[in-house]
Amino acid sequence: MHRSRLAGFIIDCNTDDLDTAAEFWGAALGYPPKKLPAPEESNYVRLDTGGENLHIEVQKVDHPSRVHVDIESDDIEAEVRRLENLGARRVGRVRTWCVMEAPTGQRFCVVRVQNPGFDATAGRWED
Amino acid sequence: MHRSRLAGFIIDCNTDDLDTAAEFWGAALGYPPKKLPAPEESNYVRLDTGGENLHIEVQKVDHPSRVHVDIESDDIEAEVRRLENLGARRVGRVRTWCVMEAPTGQRFCVVRVQNPGFDATAGRWED
Protein backbone atom coordinates (compact mmCIF):
# COMPACT_ATOMS: atom_id res chain seq x y z
CA MET A 1 0.00 0.00 0.00
CA HIS A 2 1.23 3.48 -0.78
CA ARG A 3 -0.30 6.94 -0.76
CA SER A 4 -0.34 9.96 -3.06
CA ARG A 5 -2.13 13.23 -3.73
CA LEU A 6 -1.93 16.36 -5.83
CA ALA A 7 0.98 18.35 -4.35
CA GLY A 8 0.55 21.51 -6.37
CA PHE A 9 1.37 23.33 -9.56
CA ILE A 10 4.69 24.57 -10.84
CA ILE A 11 4.76 27.60 -13.12
CA ASP A 12 7.72 26.84 -15.41
CA CYS A 13 9.22 30.04 -16.79
CA ASN A 14 11.77 30.12 -19.58
CA THR A 15 13.56 33.19 -18.28
CA ASP A 16 16.93 34.44 -17.03
CA ASP A 17 15.15 36.56 -14.45
CA LEU A 18 13.36 34.29 -11.98
CA ASP A 19 12.69 37.10 -9.49
CA THR A 20 10.79 39.20 -12.03
CA ALA A 21 8.80 36.13 -13.15
CA ALA A 22 7.93 35.30 -9.54
CA GLU A 23 6.98 38.92 -8.90
CA PHE A 24 4.51 38.86 -11.81
CA TRP A 25 2.90 35.56 -10.79
CA GLY A 26 2.81 36.51 -7.11
CA ALA A 27 1.04 39.81 -7.92
CA ALA A 28 -1.27 38.18 -10.49
CA LEU A 29 -2.41 35.46 -8.08
CA GLY A 30 -2.21 37.57 -4.91
CA TYR A 31 0.32 35.29 -3.20
CA PRO A 32 3.59 36.77 -1.90
CA PRO A 33 6.72 35.20 -3.40
CA LYS A 34 9.00 33.55 -0.84
CA LYS A 35 12.51 32.49 -1.83
CA LEU A 36 13.44 28.98 -0.77
CA PRO A 37 16.47 28.95 1.51
CA ALA A 38 18.34 25.82 0.32
CA PRO A 39 20.96 26.59 -2.39
CA GLU A 40 19.80 23.62 -4.50
CA GLU A 41 16.41 25.35 -4.65
CA SER A 42 17.78 28.50 -6.32
CA ASN A 43 15.73 27.84 -9.48
CA TYR A 44 12.47 28.00 -7.48
CA VAL A 45 10.43 30.68 -5.75
CA ARG A 46 7.46 29.53 -3.68
CA LEU A 47 4.24 31.52 -3.71
CA ASP A 48 2.80 31.72 -0.22
CA THR A 49 -0.76 30.43 -0.62
CA GLY A 50 -1.38 30.48 3.12
CA GLY A 51 -2.54 26.85 3.09
CA GLU A 52 -0.94 23.54 3.84
CA ASN A 53 -2.50 21.45 1.09
CA LEU A 54 -1.20 22.90 -2.16
CA HIS A 55 2.10 24.41 -3.13
CA ILE A 56 2.56 26.75 -6.06
CA GLU A 57 6.08 27.50 -7.21
CA VAL A 58 7.63 29.54 -9.99
CA GLN A 59 10.54 27.69 -11.60
CA LYS A 60 13.28 28.87 -13.96
CA VAL A 61 13.52 26.35 -16.82
CA ASP A 62 15.34 25.90 -20.14
CA HIS A 63 12.35 24.37 -21.97
CA PRO A 64 9.38 26.48 -23.17
CA SER A 65 7.26 28.10 -20.44
CA ARG A 66 4.31 26.11 -19.19
CA VAL A 67 2.46 25.02 -16.03
CA HIS A 68 2.85 21.49 -14.67
CA VAL A 69 1.27 19.31 -12.01
CA ASP A 70 3.23 17.76 -9.12
CA ILE A 71 1.91 14.58 -7.46
CA GLU A 72 3.41 13.85 -4.03
CA SER A 73 3.82 10.32 -2.72
CA ASP A 74 5.32 8.40 0.20
CA ASP A 75 6.63 5.85 -2.34
CA ILE A 76 7.68 7.45 -5.62
CA GLU A 77 8.50 4.18 -7.41
CA ALA A 78 5.15 2.59 -6.50
CA GLU A 79 3.32 5.75 -7.53
CA VAL A 80 5.14 5.85 -10.88
CA ARG A 81 4.09 2.24 -11.50
CA ARG A 82 0.46 3.08 -10.58
CA LEU A 83 0.50 5.97 -13.06
CA GLU A 84 2.12 3.79 -15.75
CA ASN A 85 -0.76 1.35 -15.27
CA LEU A 86 -3.15 4.26 -15.86
CA GLY A 87 -1.38 4.98 -19.16
CA ALA A 88 1.30 7.54 -18.27
CA ARG A 89 4.89 7.23 -19.52
CA ARG A 90 8.06 7.53 -17.44
CA VAL A 91 10.28 10.26 -18.96
CA GLY A 92 13.18 10.27 -16.51
CA ARG A 93 14.47 10.71 -13.01
CA VAL A 94 15.72 14.15 -11.83
CA ARG A 95 17.35 14.32 -8.39
CA THR A 96 14.63 13.00 -6.02
CA TRP A 97 11.66 13.12 -8.42
CA CYS A 98 10.38 11.42 -11.56
CA VAL A 99 9.19 13.26 -14.68
CA MET A 100 6.25 11.58 -16.44
CA GLU A 101 4.04 12.26 -19.45
CA ALA A 102 0.25 11.85 -19.36
CA PRO A 103 -1.59 9.97 -22.14
CA THR A 104 -2.91 13.42 -23.12
CA GLY A 105 0.66 14.74 -23.51
CA GLN A 106 1.24 17.00 -20.48
CA ARG A 107 4.48 16.51 -18.54
CA PHE A 108 4.09 16.19 -14.77
CA CYS A 109 6.26 15.12 -11.81
CA VAL A 110 6.01 12.61 -8.99
CA VAL A 111 7.74 14.12 -5.97
CA ARG A 112 8.39 13.34 -2.31
CA VAL A 113 5.79 14.46 0.24
CA GLN A 114 5.71 18.29 0.25
CA ASN A 115 2.58 19.39 2.09
CA PRO A 116 1.84 19.13 5.84
CA GLY A 117 -1.72 18.12 4.93
CA PHE A 118 -0.54 14.92 3.20
CA ASP A 119 -1.40 12.44 5.97
CA ALA A 120 -4.94 13.71 6.36
CA THR A 121 -5.82 13.82 2.66
CA ALA A 122 -3.70 11.45 0.55
CA GLY A 123 -5.34 8.63 -1.42
CA ARG A 124 -4.37 5.05 -0.51
CA TRP A 125 -3.52 2.61 -3.28
CA GLU A 126 -2.98 -1.14 -3.06
CA ASP A 127 0.33 -2.15 -4.71
CA MET B 1 -12.16 48.56 -6.03
CA HIS B 2 -12.46 45.04 -7.39
CA ARG B 3 -11.46 41.61 -6.16
CA SER B 4 -9.76 38.52 -7.63
CA ARG B 5 -8.09 35.26 -6.66
CA LEU B 6 -6.72 32.08 -8.17
CA ALA B 7 -9.80 30.11 -9.24
CA GLY B 8 -8.05 26.89 -10.21
CA PHE B 9 -6.28 25.00 -12.94
CA ILE B 10 -7.60 23.70 -16.23
CA ILE B 11 -6.01 20.61 -17.75
CA ASP B 12 -6.31 21.28 -21.49
CA CYS B 13 -6.34 18.02 -23.45
CA ASN B 14 -6.01 17.85 -27.22
CA THR B 15 -8.21 14.78 -27.58
CA ASP B 16 -11.41 13.53 -29.18
CA ASP B 17 -12.15 11.49 -26.07
CA LEU B 18 -12.72 13.83 -23.16
CA ASP B 19 -14.15 11.09 -20.91
CA THR B 20 -11.00 8.95 -21.16
CA ALA B 21 -8.81 12.00 -20.54
CA ALA B 22 -10.87 12.94 -17.47
CA GLU B 23 -10.74 9.34 -16.25
CA PHE B 24 -6.92 9.37 -16.40
CA TRP B 25 -6.56 12.70 -14.61
CA GLY B 26 -9.20 11.83 -12.02
CA ALA B 27 -7.44 8.56 -11.19
CA ALA B 28 -3.97 10.14 -11.27
CA LEU B 29 -4.95 12.93 -8.86
CA GLY B 30 -7.43 10.90 -6.81
CA TYR B 31 -10.37 13.20 -7.58
CA PRO B 32 -13.56 11.72 -9.08
CA PRO B 33 -14.57 13.21 -12.44
CA LYS B 34 -17.97 14.89 -12.42
CA LYS B 35 -19.63 15.87 -15.71
CA LEU B 36 -21.00 19.39 -15.76
CA PRO B 37 -24.74 19.43 -16.48
CA ALA B 38 -25.09 22.51 -18.73
CA PRO B 39 -24.86 21.68 -22.46
CA GLU B 40 -22.48 24.62 -23.09
CA GLU B 41 -20.10 22.89 -20.65
CA SER B 42 -19.81 19.71 -22.72
CA ASN B 43 -16.11 20.33 -23.35
CA TYR B 44 -15.37 20.25 -19.60
CA VAL B 45 -15.30 17.64 -16.86
CA ARG B 46 -14.83 18.89 -13.31
CA LEU B 47 -12.62 16.89 -10.91
CA ASP B 48 -14.23 16.82 -7.48
CA THR B 49 -11.50 18.12 -5.15
CA GLY B 50 -13.85 18.17 -2.17
CA GLY B 51 -13.00 21.81 -1.43
CA GLU B 52 -14.60 25.13 -2.19
CA ASN B 53 -11.51 27.16 -2.92
CA LEU B 54 -9.98 25.63 -6.05
CA HIS B 55 -11.53 24.06 -9.11
CA ILE B 56 -9.70 21.65 -11.36
CA GLU B 57 -11.25 20.84 -14.72
CA VAL B 58 -10.27 18.70 -17.69
CA GLN B 59 -11.03 20.49 -20.96
CA LYS B 60 -11.16 19.23 -24.56
CA VAL B 61 -9.18 21.66 -26.73
CA ASP B 62 -7.96 22.00 -30.32
CA HIS B 63 -4.59 23.53 -29.39
CA PRO B 64 -1.72 21.43 -27.97
CA SER B 65 -2.31 19.89 -24.53
CA ARG B 66 -1.22 21.96 -21.55
CA VAL B 67 -2.28 23.14 -18.08
CA HIS B 68 -3.51 26.68 -17.54
CA VAL B 69 -4.37 28.95 -14.64
CA ASP B 70 -7.81 30.56 -14.15
CA ILE B 71 -8.09 33.78 -12.14
CA GLU B 72 -11.63 34.59 -10.94
CA SER B 73 -12.85 38.14 -10.44
CA ASP B 74 -15.98 40.11 -9.60
CA ASP B 75 -14.97 42.59 -12.36
CA ILE B 76 -13.30 40.91 -15.32
CA GLU B 77 -12.50 44.12 -17.21
CA ALA B 78 -10.88 45.76 -14.15
CA GLU B 79 -8.91 42.59 -13.44
CA VAL B 80 -7.68 42.39 -17.05
CA ARG B 81 -6.47 46.00 -16.77
CA ARG B 82 -4.71 45.21 -13.46
CA LEU B 83 -2.94 42.26 -15.10
CA GLU B 84 -2.03 44.36 -18.16
CA ASN B 85 -0.41 46.84 -15.78
CA LEU B 86 1.62 43.95 -14.36
CA GLY B 87 2.85 43.12 -17.88
CA ALA B 88 0.35 40.54 -19.17
CA ARG B 89 -1.16 40.80 -22.66
CA ARG B 90 -4.84 40.52 -23.59
CA VAL B 91 -5.28 37.73 -26.17
CA GLY B 92 -9.03 37.75 -26.64
CA ARG B 93 -12.49 37.39 -25.23
CA VAL B 94 -14.22 33.96 -25.26
CA ARG B 95 -17.88 33.87 -24.13
CA THR B 96 -17.75 35.26 -20.57
CA TRP B 97 -13.99 35.13 -19.98
CA CYS B 98 -10.78 36.76 -21.23
CA VAL B 99 -7.70 34.85 -22.41
CA MET B 100 -4.40 36.51 -21.48
CA GLU B 101 -0.69 35.79 -21.86
CA ALA B 102 1.81 36.24 -19.03
CA PRO B 103 5.11 38.08 -19.61
CA THR B 104 6.68 34.62 -19.22
CA GLY B 105 4.55 33.24 -22.07
CA GLN B 106 1.90 31.07 -20.40
CA ARG B 107 -1.71 31.58 -21.48
CA PHE B 108 -4.23 31.98 -18.64
CA CYS B 109 -7.85 33.09 -18.27
CA VAL B 110 -9.73 35.68 -16.24
CA VAL B 111 -13.14 34.23 -15.43
CA ARG B 112 -16.27 35.09 -13.46
CA VAL B 113 -16.38 34.05 -9.79
CA GLN B 114 -16.38 30.23 -9.63
CA ASN B 115 -15.63 29.19 -6.06
CA PRO B 116 -17.91 29.55 -3.00
CA GLY B 117 -14.80 30.58 -1.02
CA PHE B 118 -14.30 33.74 -3.12
CA ASP B 119 -15.73 36.29 -0.68
CA ALA B 120 -13.63 35.05 2.22
CA THR B 121 -10.31 34.87 0.38
CA ALA B 122 -10.16 37.15 -2.67
CA GLY B 123 -7.58 39.93 -2.86
CA ARG B 124 -8.87 43.51 -3.04
CA TRP B 125 -7.39 45.91 -5.59
CA GLU B 126 -7.88 49.66 -5.92
CA ASP B 127 -8.91 50.61 -9.49
Side-chain angles (χ1 to χ4, degrees):
Chain A
M1 199 273 296
H2 78 279
R3 295 179 297 164
S4 73
R5 67 187 290 282
L6 172 67
F9 292 86
I10 311 295
I11 302 173
D12 294 332
C13 297
N14 183 274
T15 179
D16 289 329
D17 186 352
L18 175 61
D19 288 342
T20 300
E23 203 177 310
F24 169 78
W25 283 104
L29 303 180
Y31 297 138
K34 197 174 149 183
K35 269 238 155 137
L36 297 173
E40 71 270 24
E41 304 290 358
S42 63
N43 283 342
Y44 297 85
V45 174
R46 180 160 295 183
L47 300 186
D48 185 1
T49 60
E52 56 173 31
N53 275 318
L54 195 82
H55 70 241
I56 300 177
E57 288 174 14
V58 180
Q59 181 183 196
K60 177 181 179 313
V61 297
D62 293 326
H63 59 67
S65 289
R66 56 189 179 224
V67 175
H68 80 255
V69 168
D70 269 4
I71 293 174
E72 61 187 338
S73 179
D74 58 1
D75 185 336
I76 289 182
E77 190 53 36
E79 178 64 5
V80 168
R81 283 195 303 267
R82 184 182 79 86
L83 293 160
E84 284 178 326
N85 287 336
L86 293 174
R89 183 172 73 81
R90 192 188 297 245
V91 174
R93 199 84 188 200
V94 182
R95 286 163 48 194
T96 58
W97 62 92
C98 184
V99 180
M100 302 195 73
E101 188 172 289
T104 44
Q106 298 90 343
R107 295 279 170 104
F108 64 98
C109 294
V110 180
V111 303
R112 294 187 296 187
V113 175
Q114 311 277 320
N115 289 295
F118 181 83
D119 279 338
T121 55
R124 290 163 183 274
W125 316 108
E126 293 299 330
D127 295 323
Chain B
M1 199 270 299
H2 78 281
R3 295 178 298 163
S4 72
R5 66 186 291 281
L6 172 67
F9 293 87
I10 311 295
I11 302 174
D12 292 333
C13 297
N14 183 276
T15 180
D16 289 328
D17 186 351
L18 174 62
D19 288 343
T20 300
E23 203 176 310
F24 168 79
W25 282 105
L29 303 180
Y31 297 138
K34 196 174 149 184
K35 269 237 154 134
L36 297 174
E40 71 271 23
E41 303 292 357
S42 63
N43 283 342
Y44 296 85
V45 175
R46 181 159 295 184
L47 301 185
D48 184 2
T49 61
E52 56 173 33
N53 275 317
L54 195 82
H55 72 239
I56 300 178
E57 289 175 12
V58 180
Q59 181 183 195
K60 178 179 178 314
V61 297
D62 293 327
H63 59 67
S65 289
R66 56 186 180 228
V67 175
H68 80 255
V69 169
D70 269 4
I71 293 174
E72 60 187 339
S73 179
D74 57 1
D75 185 337
I76 290 183
E77 191 52 35
E79 178 65 5
V80 167
R81 282 194 303 266
R82 184 182 78 88
L83 293 161
E84 284 179 325
N85 287 337
L86 294 173
R89 183 172 73 80
R90 192 188 296 245
V91 174
R93 200 82 190 201
V94 182
R95 285 159 52 191
T96 58
W97 62 91
C98 184
V99 181
M100 301 194 74
E101 187 172 288
T104 45
Q106 297 92 342
R107 294 278 169 106
F108 64 97
C109 295
V110 180
V111 303
R112 293 186 296 186
V113 174
Q114 310 278 319
N115 290 294
F118 181 84
D119 279 338
T121 55
R124 288 165 184 273
W125 317 107
E126 293 299 330
D127 295 322

